[in-house]
Amino acid sequence: MTAPSRAEIKELIREVFLEMCGGVQPDTSKQWLDLEQAWERLGFPSYHACYKAVQSGLFREGKEVRDRRRPGARRAKWQVNIALANKRLTQDGEKRSSR
């Protein structure tokens, strides 16, 4: 009997890890969309309305939105985490924390 290869060991560890975590974990990188594509999914009537909501602080930077502008750029390039932003929008206004 030969010892398992490094790739086989990695696959076994991955399977055990997923089992311990309760299944397949969602790929969070796919949840982030540029604001130009996200405003419709969030139910805003226009891009401008969604942009104003970001500027007013409705969404928290680093949680629901992130600024992905190039170094030295003046204008922000906002990306939105769709799942977290939808959760924030469905909360009552009194329950929204600024943290």
Side-chain angles (χ1 to χ4, degrees):
M1 183 171 174
T2 62
S5 70
R6 184 179 185 107
E8 292 171 332
I9 292 172
K10 281 178 127 178
E11 183 61 29
L12 288 171
I13 291 172
R14 184 180 166 281
E15 288 175 12
V16 170
F17 177 74
L18 287 174
E19 185 179 320
M20 290 172 58
C21 291
V24 177
Q25 300 299 313
D27 185 8
T28 56
S29 65
K30 292 181 182 176
Q31 294 178 346
W32 290 95
L33 290 178
D34 288 337
L35 193 62
E36 292 87 11
Q37 293 126 15
W39 67 269
E40 288 179 295
R41 289 179 123 187
L42 296 174
F44 282 92
S46 67
Y47 167 79
H48 187 68
C50 188
Y51 186 80
K52 280 191 164 200
V54 171
Q55 293 298 324
S56 71
L58 173 64
F59 301 116
R60 298 166 293 183
E61 188 172 354
K63 296 196 182 215
E64 293 91 17
V65 294
R66 63 185 179 187
D67 184 359
R68 302 299 291 177
R69 76 179 92 186
R70 292 183 181 161
R74 288 185 177 177
R75 187 173 173 183
K77 176 146 176 75
W78 294 106
Q79 287 186 337
V80 181
N81 185 306
I82 299 298
L84 293 177
N86 275 326
K87 185 177 176 183
R88 179 109 169 139
L89 286 170
T90 58
Q91 284 181 333
D92 290 334
E94 301 86 35
K95 292 185 178 180
R96 288 185 195 139
S97 68
S98 59
R99 292 189 266 155

